Amino acid sequence: MIRHIVSWKLAAEDADLRAEQAADVARRLNALDGVVPQLRAISAGVNVAYPDTNWDVTLVADFDSIAALEEYQVHPAHEEVVAYVRSVVAARAAVDIEI
């Protein structure tokens, strides 16, 4: 099984706007559950502590294989979320681990 972990730092400098956008990113990602068949599990959430140093949003998603992860990457519903995320993000960090 592959666990895909991604964190984003949002571009907005205004704390209220950044919080609103972070919640929207998490909501859109979590809405992929049941829509993208390759997803075995998904959890996205907004940072709740140390906003000056922590990243704003994190995703943890599980897949049966790298091939399933790659299919998820090009799924139209995922690509729609990616378009929004890219419009509000300043930086992205990701790691894929075998579990």
Side-chain angles (χ1 to χ4, degrees):
M1 178 141 334
I2 301 299
R3 178 156 289 161
H4 177 61
I5 305 163
V6 185
S7 293
W8 295 272
K9 196 71 153 161
L10 302 186
E13 293 186 22
D14 178 77
D16 291 335
L17 177 58
R18 191 170 58 252
E20 179 183 315
Q21 290 173 339
D24 201 22
V25 168
R27 180 190 60 76
R28 289 172 187 240
L29 287 164
N30 286 319
L32 295 174
D33 191 21
V35 174
V36 180
Q38 294 80 11
L39 276 168
R40 293 295 162 243
I42 186 168
S43 179
V46 175
N47 178 56
V48 296
Y50 316 110
D52 293 336
T53 56
N54 285 357
W55 290 59
D56 298 303
V57 185
T58 294
L59 163 73
V60 178
D62 293 339
F63 300 88
D64 288 335
S65 64
I66 294 290
L69 170 60
E70 290 171 348
E71 290 173 22
Y72 158 82
Q73 297 286 1
V74 297
H75 189 282
H78 176 258
E79 288 183 334
E80 185 177 321
V81 174
V82 167
Y84 173 73
V85 171
R86 286 183 178 155
S87 76
V88 298
V89 163
R92 174 187 181 271
V95 63
D96 297 299
I97 62 172
E98 193 165 17
I99 58 170

